[in-house]
Amino acid sequence: MITTRFTKEFGIEHPVVMGGMMGVGCAPLVAAVANAGALGFLTALTQPTPEALVEEIRRTRELTDKPFGVNVTILPTLRPVSYEAYAQAIIESGVKIVETAGRNPEPFLPAFKQAGIKVIHKCTSVRHSVKAEKIGCDAVSIDGFECAGHPGEDDVPGLVLIPCTADQVRVPLIASGGFGDARGLVAALSLGADAINMGTRFLATKEAGVHENVKRKLVEATERDTVLIFRKFRNTARVFKNSVADEVVKIESKPDSQFEDIAPLVAGERGRKAYEAGDLDAGIWSAGMVTGLIHDIPSCAELVRRVVSEATEIIHGRLARCS
Ligand SMILES: Cc1cc2nc3c(=O)[nH]c(=O)nc-3n(C[C@H](O)[C@H](O)[C@H](O)COP(=O)(O)O)c2cc1C
């Protein structure tokens, strides 16, 4: 057992989180993470409507009686989204932990706070972490440059970003981006964090609802197999390096290229084909540099047990022997 401010304040057995994953954060995976004693997040926008999210929350509760949360990612989308309606669905469903990301969550905080919901804001810079604490978030999740999804535009890796953030925020800190094993957990705790957040590592688990080809590819891949897209549009995303991602980068590098030139390549339904049909070159799909540390496809219970028990061995074994 590793007890931290995060485990105590959030009532979670282990200092391990699975952040929101668009298209992936659904009931079976989130319940498996919860049953493993970690904190998993359903991804609100994976559900087409707030009503569907209510149903997904209900489905998750059928599979676990442990705490879990809902991720609300506020990013530019092609279809208009009523974030207020999703927030209301979360409140009315009685979920008690929310992970926000993408934009300042301030407009949603009064309603969440009134409903007794703890808010973890995930961001990619010290200044946004400080702001999140100031506006009343209960924890900060800090995503380093290594992460899958949106690493921001500052390109500061976790080894610097995590302690810089720990120096400036008082609320529990979750270290995110590049974590996949016990060594990462111990390193995060040493750097001043109270828990780790893993995305890509949970994608390669038995319960993740993605095609086996995706999971096997993550096992085969190395730390060099991701690439940054959307740089030019200041909405940088780290995705798996496949032929579509390479094409996007090529088009973006042309001085007069516009988002419209790449829009058909990055359409959500193409990415979904990769996850659902296992056609790995159908579109773009998120993955982080931690692919270099993924060597198997365990169950969530095996993964969390391994990370925590090996971390304990490192702390009481290898580190204790350093003199
Ligand atoms: C497939 C996938 C989809 C993701 N979708 C989202 C999302 O919708 N919202 C969000 O806040 N983060 C999203 N993320 C980021 C994760 O929540 C997490 O912050 C990130 O994966 C941590 O980096 P790691 O992959 O190195 O562990 C996604 C990550 C992956 C791998």
Side-chain angles (χ1 to χ4, degrees):
M1 289 288 283
I2 298 176
T3 305
T4 68
R5 289 188 305 158
F6 166 80
T7 61
K8 285 190 220 154
E9 292 184 21
F10 285 81
I12 306 295
E13 203 178 330
H14 302 301
V16 177
V17 176
M18 181 194 75
M21 286 193 274
M22 187 65 186
V24 181
C26 296
L29 178 60
V30 172
V33 171
N35 288 332
L39 173 61
F41 285 92
L42 292 172
T43 312
L45 297 193
T46 297
Q47 303 305 323
T49 60
E51 294 73 32
L53 175 61
V54 170
E55 174 57 19
E56 198 65 7
I57 293 169
R58 195 194 57 72
R59 223 158 68 88
T60 312
R61 287 210 178 105
E62 273 177 15
L63 301 170
T64 186
D65 54 9
K66 300 262 180 71
F68 64 91
V70 178
N71 165 289
V72 181
T73 303
I74 313 160
L75 280 175
T77 50
L78 291 176
R79 70 172 170 116
V81 171
S82 170
Y83 290 105
E84 290 72 20
Y86 279 97
Q88 201 52 37
I90 292 167
I91 292 167
E92 283 170 12
S93 296
V95 168
K96 291 299 174 205
I97 309 176
V98 162
E99 179 191 63
T100 54
R103 219 190 311 143
N104 182 346
E106 200 166 5
F108 302 97
L109 286 185
F112 284 150
K113 292 269 138 183
Q114 209 187 356
I117 293 174
K118 283 188 187 289
V119 176
I120 302 173
H121 184 58
K122 190 167 61 186
C123 52
T124 58
S125 71
V126 177
R127 61 192 184 283
H128 292 143
S129 304
V130 169
K131 181 80 191 282
E133 178 177 80
K134 198 167 155 218
I135 63 174
C137 291
D138 302 279
V140 167
S141 192
I142 186 78
D143 238 344
F145 182 56
E146 306 88 337
C147 74
H150 293 274
E153 310 303 323
D154 293 347
D155 301 355
V156 183
L159 198 53
V160 171
L161 190 59
I162 297 159
C164 282
T165 310
D167 283 345
Q168 298 217 25
V169 300
R170 302 274 71 84
V171 289
L173 180 64
I174 302 166
S176 177
F179 293 98
D181 63 22
R183 294 170 297 183
L185 173 55
V186 177
L189 297 175
S190 306
L191 294 172
D194 303 282
I196 53 168
N197 175 44
M198 303 193 287
T200 308
R201 177 63 271 205
F202 276 111
L203 204 51
T205 57
K206 289 199 172 92
E207 294 92 345
V210 297
H211 196 279
E212 284 303 307
N213 290 356
V214 174
K215 301 180 190 182
R216 266 188 273 171
K217 197 71 188 171
L218 291 173
V219 172
E220 273 169 31
T222 75
E223 66 282 7
R224 301 177 65 230
D225 284 315
T226 71
V227 66
L228 298 175
I229 60 170
F230 302 159
R231 240 325 41 162
K232 182 170 188 172
F233 309 105
R234 295 191 64 75
N235 184 26
T236 300
R238 186 179 295 287
V239 297
F240 195 82
K241 187 173 173 4
N242 63 7
S243 60
V244 182
D246 283 343
E247 181 65 18
V248 170
V249 172
K250 202 167 124 196
I251 297 172
E252 273 187 50
S253 71
K254 293 182 188 155
D256 54 351
S257 60
Q258 311 280 323
F259 185 76
E260 290 67 41
D261 301 324
I262 56 166
L265 290 169
V266 301
E269 71 258 27
R270 291 184 62 150
R272 275 195 291 281
K273 255 198 210 162
Y275 289 138
E276 288 166 16
D279 180 356
L280 299 177
D281 281 302
I284 53 157
W285 49 281
S286 297
M289 289 174 158
V290 73
T291 43
L293 293 171
I294 296 176
H295 307 303
D296 63 355
I297 305 168
S299 67
C300 291
E302 285 169 70
L303 175 63
V304 173
R305 201 180 312 119
R306 188 200 300 165
V307 168
V308 174
S309 68
E310 289 182 6
T312 311
E313 277 167 37
I314 294 173
I315 294 166
H316 298 293
R318 187 142 59 84
L319 295 188
R321 285 195 298 276
C322 295
S323 59

PDB file of all heavy atoms in Angstrom, residues 31-62:
ATOM      1  N   ALA A  31     -14.706   0.666 -14.971  1.00  0.00           N
ATOM      2  CA  ALA A  31     -15.059  -0.196 -13.833  1.00  0.00           C
ATOM      3  C   ALA A  31     -13.889  -1.119 -13.485  1.00  0.00           C
ATOM      4  O   ALA A  31     -13.611  -1.357 -12.304  1.00  0.00           O
ATOM      5  CB  ALA A  31     -16.302  -1.015 -14.168  1.00  0.00           C
ATOM      6  N   ALA A  32     -13.174  -1.613 -14.492  1.00  0.00           N
ATOM      7  CA  ALA A  32     -12.025  -2.489 -14.225  1.00  0.00           C
ATOM      8  C   ALA A  32     -10.935  -1.716 -13.475  1.00  0.00           C
ATOM      9  O   ALA A  32     -10.300  -2.251 -12.558  1.00  0.00           O
ATOM     10  CB  ALA A  32     -11.471  -3.053 -15.538  1.00  0.00           C
ATOM     11  N   VAL A  33     -10.730  -0.460 -13.864  1.00  0.00           N
ATOM     12  CA  VAL A  33      -9.735   0.387 -13.179  1.00  0.00           C
ATOM     13  C   VAL A  33     -10.185   0.625 -11.731  1.00  0.00           C
ATOM     14  O   VAL A  33      -9.388   0.513 -10.791  1.00  0.00           O
ATOM     15  CB  VAL A  33      -9.547   1.727 -13.944  1.00  0.00           C
ATOM     16  CG1 VAL A  33      -8.695   2.708 -13.146  1.00  0.00           C
ATOM     17  CG2 VAL A  33      -8.915   1.469 -15.314  1.00  0.00           C
ATOM     18  N   ALA A  34     -11.471   0.922 -11.560  1.00  0.00           N
ATOM     19  CA  ALA A  34     -11.998   1.161 -10.200  1.00  0.00           C
ATOM     20  C   ALA A  34     -11.857  -0.102  -9.349  1.00  0.00           C
ATOM     21  O   ALA A  34     -11.408  -0.046  -8.202  1.00  0.00           O
ATOM     22  CB  ALA A  34     -13.459   1.600 -10.282  1.00  0.00           C
ATOM     23  N   ASN A  35     -12.204  -1.243  -9.929  1.00  0.00           N
ATOM     24  CA  ASN A  35     -12.111  -2.504  -9.177  1.00  0.00           C
ATOM     25  C   ASN A  35     -10.664  -2.854  -8.841  1.00  0.00           C
ATOM     26  O   ASN A  35     -10.408  -3.602  -7.896  1.00  0.00           O
ATOM     27  CB  ASN A  35     -12.777  -3.644  -9.946  1.00  0.00           C
ATOM     28  CG  ASN A  35     -14.289  -3.506  -9.949  1.00  0.00           C
ATOM     29  OD1 ASN A  35     -14.860  -2.930  -9.012  1.00  0.00           O
ATOM     30  ND2 ASN A  35     -14.949  -4.012 -10.991  1.00  0.00           N
ATOM     31  N   ALA A  36      -9.728  -2.301  -9.622  1.00  0.00           N
ATOM     32  CA  ALA A  36      -8.303  -2.526  -9.341  1.00  0.00           C
ATOM     33  C   ALA A  36      -7.811  -1.590  -8.230  1.00  0.00           C
ATOM     34  O   ALA A  36      -6.642  -1.655  -7.843  1.00  0.00           O
ATOM     35  CB  ALA A  36      -7.486  -2.299 -10.618  1.00  0.00           C
ATOM     36  N   GLY A  37      -8.679  -0.713  -7.753  1.00  0.00           N
ATOM     37  CA  GLY A  37      -8.299   0.195  -6.663  1.00  0.00           C
ATOM     38  C   GLY A  37      -7.700   1.502  -7.153  1.00  0.00           C
ATOM     39  O   GLY A  37      -7.126   2.257  -6.359  1.00  0.00           O
ATOM     40  N   ALA A  38      -7.838   1.781  -8.455  1.00  0.00           N
ATOM     41  CA  ALA A  38      -7.345   3.050  -9.003  1.00  0.00           C
ATOM     42  C   ALA A  38      -8.547   3.919  -9.383  1.00  0.00           C
ATOM     43  O   ALA A  38      -9.690   3.496  -9.262  1.00  0.00           O
ATOM     44  CB  ALA A  38      -6.440   2.785 -10.199  1.00  0.00           C
ATOM     45  N   LEU A  39      -8.262   5.132  -9.854  1.00  0.00           N
ATOM     46  CA  LEU A  39      -9.351   6.045 -10.216  1.00  0.00           C
ATOM     47  C   LEU A  39      -9.447   6.175 -11.735  1.00  0.00           C
ATOM     48  O   LEU A  39      -8.528   6.690 -12.379  1.00  0.00           O
ATOM     49  CB  LEU A  39      -9.091   7.435  -9.588  1.00  0.00           C
ATOM     50  CG  LEU A  39     -10.056   8.554 -10.005  1.00  0.00           C
ATOM     51  CD1 LEU A  39     -11.496   8.226  -9.609  1.00  0.00           C
ATOM     52  CD2 LEU A  39      -9.628   9.886  -9.364  1.00  0.00           C
ATOM     53  N   GLY A  40     -10.549   5.697 -12.290  1.00  0.00           N
ATOM     54  CA  GLY A  40     -10.749   5.782 -13.735  1.00  0.00           C
ATOM     55  C   GLY A  40     -11.799   6.829 -14.076  1.00  0.00           C
ATOM     56  O   GLY A  40     -12.684   7.117 -13.271  1.00  0.00           O
ATOM     57  N   PHE A  41     -11.690   7.366 -15.283  1.00  0.00           N
ATOM     58  CA  PHE A  41     -12.639   8.390 -15.734  1.00  0.00           C
ATOM     59  C   PHE A  41     -13.361   7.954 -16.998  1.00  0.00           C
ATOM     60  O   PHE A  41     -12.712   7.618 -18.003  1.00  0.00           O
ATOM     61  CB  PHE A  41     -11.915   9.713 -16.010  1.00  0.00           C
ATOM     62  CG  PHE A  41     -11.520  10.436 -14.758  1.00  0.00           C
ATOM     63  CD1 PHE A  41     -10.275  10.244 -14.193  1.00  0.00           C
ATOM     64  CD2 PHE A  41     -12.428  11.276 -14.127  1.00  0.00           C
ATOM     65  CE1 PHE A  41      -9.920  10.900 -13.023  1.00  0.00           C
ATOM     66  CE2 PHE A  41     -12.084  11.940 -12.953  1.00  0.00           C
ATOM     67  CZ  PHE A  41     -10.829  11.744 -12.404  1.00  0.00           C
ATOM     68  N   LEU A  42     -14.684   8.017 -16.956  1.00  0.00           N
ATOM     69  CA  LEU A  42     -15.462   7.950 -18.200  1.00  0.00           C
ATOM     70  C   LEU A  42     -15.172   9.245 -18.944  1.00  0.00           C
ATOM     71  O   LEU A  42     -14.934  10.276 -18.320  1.00  0.00           O
ATOM     72  CB  LEU A  42     -16.964   7.914 -17.902  1.00  0.00           C
ATOM     73  CG  LEU A  42     -17.528   6.671 -17.233  1.00  0.00           C
ATOM     74  CD1 LEU A  42     -18.990   6.929 -16.837  1.00  0.00           C
ATOM     75  CD2 LEU A  42     -17.447   5.467 -18.170  1.00  0.00           C
ATOM     76  N   THR A  43     -15.208   9.208 -20.263  1.00  0.00           N
ATOM     77  CA  THR A  43     -14.974  10.434 -21.029  1.00  0.00           C
ATOM     78  C   THR A  43     -16.324  10.928 -21.539  1.00  0.00           C
ATOM     79  O   THR A  43     -16.946  10.279 -22.393  1.00  0.00           O
ATOM     80  CB  THR A  43     -14.004  10.150 -22.191  1.00  0.00           C
ATOM     81  OG1 THR A  43     -12.911   9.426 -21.659  1.00  0.00           O
ATOM     82  CG2 THR A  43     -13.494  11.427 -22.827  1.00  0.00           C
ATOM     83  N   ALA A  44     -16.763  12.061 -20.987  1.00  0.00           N
ATOM     84  CA  ALA A  44     -18.133  12.521 -21.262  1.00  0.00           C
ATOM     85  C   ALA A  44     -18.431  12.571 -22.751  1.00  0.00           C
ATOM     86  O   ALA A  44     -19.454  12.053 -23.222  1.00  0.00           O
ATOM     87  CB  ALA A  44     -18.349  13.895 -20.629  1.00  0.00           C
ATOM     88  N   LEU A  45     -17.518  13.167 -23.526  1.00  0.00           N
ATOM     89  CA  LEU A  45     -17.841  13.405 -24.942  1.00  0.00           C
ATOM     90  C   LEU A  45     -17.759  12.151 -25.807  1.00  0.00           C
ATOM     91  O   LEU A  45     -18.114  12.197 -26.989  1.00  0.00           O
ATOM     92  CB  LEU A  45     -16.952  14.505 -25.523  1.00  0.00           C
ATOM     93  CG  LEU A  45     -17.108  15.888 -24.901  1.00  0.00           C
ATOM     94  CD1 LEU A  45     -16.410  16.936 -25.764  1.00  0.00           C
ATOM     95  CD2 LEU A  45     -18.556  16.280 -24.677  1.00  0.00           C
ATOM     96  N   THR A  46     -17.313  11.039 -25.245  1.00  0.00           N
ATOM     97  CA  THR A  46     -17.392   9.773 -25.988  1.00  0.00           C
ATOM     98  C   THR A  46     -18.867   9.420 -26.203  1.00  0.00           C
ATOM     99  O   THR A  46     -19.221   8.738 -27.162  1.00  0.00           O
ATOM    100  CB  THR A  46     -16.674   8.653 -25.206  1.00  0.00           C
ATOM    101  OG1 THR A  46     -15.300   9.007 -25.104  1.00  0.00           O
ATOM    102  CG2 THR A  46     -16.791   7.298 -25.893  1.00  0.00           C
ATOM    103  N   GLN A  47     -19.697   9.897 -25.277  1.00  0.00           N
ATOM    104  CA  GLN A  47     -21.131   9.633 -25.392  1.00  0.00           C
ATOM    105  C   GLN A  47     -21.761  10.727 -26.255  1.00  0.00           C
ATOM    106  O   GLN A  47     -21.497  11.910 -26.049  1.00  0.00           O
ATOM    107  CB  GLN A  47     -21.776   9.604 -23.993  1.00  0.00           C
ATOM    108  CG  GLN A  47     -21.134   8.585 -23.068  1.00  0.00           C
ATOM    109  CD  GLN A  47     -21.125   7.180 -23.659  1.00  0.00           C
ATOM    110  OE1 GLN A  47     -22.076   6.773 -24.335  1.00  0.00           O
ATOM    111  NE2 GLN A  47     -20.049   6.439 -23.428  1.00  0.00           N
ATOM    112  N   PRO A  48     -22.604  10.344 -27.212  1.00  0.00           N
ATOM    113  CA  PRO A  48     -23.134  11.326 -28.165  1.00  0.00           C
ATOM    114  C   PRO A  48     -24.048  12.375 -27.541  1.00  0.00           C
ATOM    115  O   PRO A  48     -24.169  13.477 -28.071  1.00  0.00           O
ATOM    116  CB  PRO A  48     -23.918  10.457 -29.168  1.00  0.00           C
ATOM    117  CG  PRO A  48     -24.164   9.154 -28.471  1.00  0.00           C
ATOM    118  CD  PRO A  48     -23.043   8.979 -27.496  1.00  0.00           C
ATOM    119  N   THR A  49     -24.668  12.031 -26.413  1.00  0.00           N
ATOM    120  CA  THR A  49     -25.585  12.980 -25.770  1.00  0.00           C
ATOM    121  C   THR A  49     -25.413  12.897 -24.245  1.00  0.00           C
ATOM    122  O   THR A  49     -24.926  11.881 -23.734  1.00  0.00           O
ATOM    123  CB  THR A  49     -27.069  12.630 -26.068  1.00  0.00           C
ATOM    124  OG1 THR A  49     -27.319  11.310 -25.551  1.00  0.00           O
ATOM    125  CG2 THR A  49     -27.374  12.652 -27.557  1.00  0.00           C
ATOM    126  N   PRO A  50     -25.855  13.932 -23.527  1.00  0.00           N
ATOM    127  CA  PRO A  50     -25.828  13.850 -22.058  1.00  0.00           C
ATOM    128  C   PRO A  50     -26.641  12.659 -21.534  1.00  0.00           C
ATOM    129  O   PRO A  50     -26.268  12.035 -20.548  1.00  0.00           O
ATOM    130  CB  PRO A  50     -26.440  15.185 -21.623  1.00  0.00           C
ATOM    131  CG  PRO A  50     -26.183  16.105 -22.773  1.00  0.00           C
ATOM    132  CD  PRO A  50     -26.255  15.263 -24.005  1.00  0.00           C
ATOM    133  N   GLU A  51     -27.741  12.337 -22.224  1.00  0.00           N
ATOM    134  CA  GLU A  51     -28.574  11.201 -21.786  1.00  0.00           C
ATOM    135  C   GLU A  51     -27.779   9.901 -21.893  1.00  0.00           C
ATOM    136  O   GLU A  51     -27.861   9.017 -21.035  1.00  0.00           O
ATOM    137  CB  GLU A  51     -29.850  11.079 -22.648  1.00  0.00           C
ATOM    138  CG  GLU A  51     -30.829  12.238 -22.500  1.00  0.00           C
ATOM    139  CD  GLU A  51     -30.356  13.528 -23.175  1.00  0.00           C
ATOM    140  OE1 GLU A  51     -29.655  13.454 -24.219  1.00  0.00           O
ATOM    141  OE2 GLU A  51     -30.656  14.621 -22.655  1.00  0.00           O
ATOM    142  N   ALA A  52     -26.995   9.785 -22.965  1.00  0.00           N
ATOM    143  CA  ALA A  52     -26.174   8.577 -23.140  1.00  0.00           C
ATOM    144  C   ALA A  52     -25.102   8.503 -22.050  1.00  0.00           C
ATOM    145  O   ALA A  52     -24.740   7.406 -21.590  1.00  0.00           O
ATOM    146  CB  ALA A  52     -25.526   8.575 -24.526  1.00  0.00           C
ATOM    147  N   LEU A  53     -24.611   9.664 -21.615  1.00  0.00           N
ATOM    148  CA  LEU A  53     -23.624   9.669 -20.524  1.00  0.00           C
ATOM    149  C   LEU A  53     -24.265   9.167 -19.226  1.00  0.00           C
ATOM    150  O   LEU A  53     -23.655   8.380 -18.489  1.00  0.00           O
ATOM    151  CB  LEU A  53     -23.043  11.084 -20.338  1.00  0.00           C
ATOM    152  CG  LEU A  53     -22.090  11.243 -19.153  1.00  0.00           C
ATOM    153  CD1 LEU A  53     -20.859  10.328 -19.303  1.00  0.00           C
ATOM    154  CD2 LEU A  53     -21.644  12.691 -18.990  1.00  0.00           C
ATOM    155  N   VAL A  54     -25.491   9.607 -18.969  1.00  0.00           N
ATOM    156  CA  VAL A  54     -26.204   9.138 -17.771  1.00  0.00           C
ATOM    157  C   VAL A  54     -26.290   7.610 -17.802  1.00  0.00           C
ATOM    158  O   VAL A  54     -26.043   6.925 -16.803  1.00  0.00           O
ATOM    159  CB  VAL A  54     -27.629   9.761 -17.701  1.00  0.00           C
ATOM    160  CG1 VAL A  54     -28.460   9.107 -16.609  1.00  0.00           C
ATOM    161  CG2 VAL A  54     -27.531  11.264 -17.488  1.00  0.00           C
ATOM    162  N   GLU A  55     -26.605   7.063 -18.963  1.00  0.00           N
ATOM    163  CA  GLU A  55     -26.733   5.609 -19.128  1.00  0.00           C
ATOM    164  C   GLU A  55     -25.372   4.918 -18.919  1.00  0.00           C
ATOM    165  O   GLU A  55     -25.273   3.862 -18.280  1.00  0.00           O
ATOM    166  CB  GLU A  55     -27.291   5.333 -20.536  1.00  0.00           C
ATOM    167  CG  GLU A  55     -27.369   3.884 -20.945  1.00  0.00           C
ATOM    168  CD  GLU A  55     -28.191   3.018 -19.989  1.00  0.00           C
ATOM    169  OE1 GLU A  55     -28.992   3.563 -19.212  1.00  0.00           O
ATOM    170  OE2 GLU A  55     -27.971   1.789 -20.013  1.00  0.00           O
ATOM    171  N   GLU A  56     -24.295   5.537 -19.418  1.00  0.00           N
ATOM    172  CA  GLU A  56     -22.954   4.963 -19.260  1.00  0.00           C
ATOM    173  C   GLU A  56     -22.523   4.968 -17.784  1.00  0.00           C
ATOM    174  O   GLU A  56     -21.876   4.028 -17.317  1.00  0.00           O
ATOM    175  CB  GLU A  56     -21.952   5.751 -20.127  1.00  0.00           C
ATOM    176  CG  GLU A  56     -20.653   5.042 -20.415  1.00  0.00           C
ATOM    177  CD  GLU A  56     -20.797   3.779 -21.264  1.00  0.00           C
ATOM    178  OE1 GLU A  56     -21.898   3.483 -21.773  1.00  0.00           O
ATOM    179  OE2 GLU A  56     -19.774   3.073 -21.394  1.00  0.00           O
ATOM    180  N   ILE A  57     -22.897   6.019 -17.073  1.00  0.00           N
ATOM    181  CA  ILE A  57     -22.600   6.084 -15.629  1.00  0.00           C
ATOM    182  C   ILE A  57     -23.345   4.954 -14.919  1.00  0.00           C
ATOM    183  O   ILE A  57     -22.791   4.244 -14.070  1.00  0.00           O
ATOM    184  CB  ILE A  57     -22.998   7.475 -15.049  1.00  0.00           C
ATOM    185  CG1 ILE A  57     -22.093   8.565 -15.640  1.00  0.00           C
ATOM    186  CG2 ILE A  57     -22.929   7.468 -13.525  1.00  0.00           C
ATOM    187  CD1 ILE A  57     -22.546   9.998 -15.363  1.00  0.00           C
ATOM    188  N   ARG A  58     -24.594   4.743 -15.320  1.00  0.00           N
ATOM    189  CA  ARG A  58     -25.396   3.673 -14.708  1.00  0.00           C
ATOM    190  C   ARG A  58     -24.758   2.310 -14.992  1.00  0.00           C
ATOM    191  O   ARG A  58     -24.628   1.459 -14.120  1.00  0.00           O
ATOM    192  CB  ARG A  58     -26.831   3.733 -15.281  1.00  0.00           C
ATOM    193  CG  ARG A  58     -27.847   2.935 -14.489  1.00  0.00           C
ATOM    194  CD  ARG A  58     -29.144   2.742 -15.258  1.00  0.00           C
ATOM    195  NE  ARG A  58     -28.957   2.091 -16.569  1.00  0.00           N
ATOM    196  CZ  ARG A  58     -28.658   0.825 -16.747  1.00  0.00           C
ATOM    197  NH1 ARG A  58     -28.505   0.027 -15.725  1.00  0.00           N
ATOM    198  NH2 ARG A  58     -28.485   0.329 -17.964  1.00  0.00           N
ATOM    199  N   ARG A  59     -24.318   2.123 -16.248  1.00  0.00           N
ATOM    200  CA  ARG A  59     -23.665   0.870 -16.653  1.00  0.00           C
ATOM    201  C   ARG A  59     -22.382   0.634 -15.833  1.00  0.00           C
ATOM    202  O   ARG A  59     -22.083  -0.492 -15.422  1.00  0.00           O
ATOM    203  CB  ARG A  59     -23.289   0.989 -18.148  1.00  0.00           C
ATOM    204  CG  ARG A  59     -23.575  -0.247 -18.971  1.00  0.00           C
ATOM    205  CD  ARG A  59     -23.686   0.102 -20.441  1.00  0.00           C
ATOM    206  NE  ARG A  59     -22.464   0.534 -21.100  1.00  0.00           N
ATOM    207  CZ  ARG A  59     -21.571  -0.278 -21.673  1.00  0.00           C
ATOM    208  NH1 ARG A  59     -21.740  -1.576 -21.632  1.00  0.00           N
ATOM    209  NH2 ARG A  59     -20.517   0.205 -22.282  1.00  0.00           N
ATOM    210  N   THR A  60     -21.634   1.700 -15.593  1.00  0.00           N
ATOM    211  CA  THR A  60     -20.387   1.572 -14.811  1.00  0.00           C
ATOM    212  C   THR A  60     -20.718   1.131 -13.396  1.00  0.00           C
ATOM    213  O   THR A  60     -20.046   0.257 -12.827  1.00  0.00           O
ATOM    214  CB  THR A  60     -19.608   2.916 -14.792  1.00  0.00           C
ATOM    215  OG1 THR A  60     -19.530   3.417 -16.121  1.00  0.00           O
ATOM    216  CG2 THR A  60     -18.202   2.732 -14.246  1.00  0.00           C
ATOM    217  N   ARG A  61     -21.777   1.709 -12.841  1.00  0.00           N
ATOM    218  CA  ARG A  61     -22.163   1.367 -11.453  1.00  0.00           C
ATOM    219  C   ARG A  61     -22.598  -0.081 -11.331  1.00  0.00           C
ATOM    220  O   ARG A  61     -22.515  -0.674 -10.258  1.00  0.00           O
ATOM    221  CB  ARG A  61     -23.294   2.286 -10.993  1.00  0.00           C
ATOM    222  CG  ARG A  61     -22.803   3.689 -10.728  1.00  0.00           C
ATOM    223  CD  ARG A  61     -23.637   4.365  -9.641  1.00  0.00           C
ATOM    224  NE  ARG A  61     -23.113   5.698  -9.376  1.00  0.00           N
ATOM    225  CZ  ARG A  61     -23.677   6.820  -9.787  1.00  0.00           C
ATOM    226  NH1 ARG A  61     -24.816   6.780 -10.480  1.00  0.00           N
ATOM    227  NH2 ARG A  61     -23.135   7.987  -9.499  1.00  0.00           N
ATOM    228  N   GLU A  62     -23.096  -0.635 -12.432  1.00  0.00           N
ATOM    229  CA  GLU A  62     -23.480  -2.059 -12.394  1.00  0.00           C
ATOM    230  C   GLU A  62     -22.245  -2.950 -12.282  1.00  0.00           C
ATOM    231  O   GLU A  62     -22.320  -4.088 -11.853  1.00  0.00           O
ATOM    232  CB  GLU A  62     -24.227  -2.426 -13.681  1.00  0.00           C
ATOM    233  CG  GLU A  62     -25.704  -2.154 -13.582  1.00  0.00           C
ATOM    234  CD  GLU A  62     -26.388  -2.459 -14.907  1.00  0.00           C
ATOM    235  OE1 GLU A  62     -25.787  -3.133 -15.785  1.00  0.00           O
ATOM    236  OE2 GLU A  62     -27.514  -2.008 -15.061  1.00  0.00           O
TER     237      GLU A  62
END
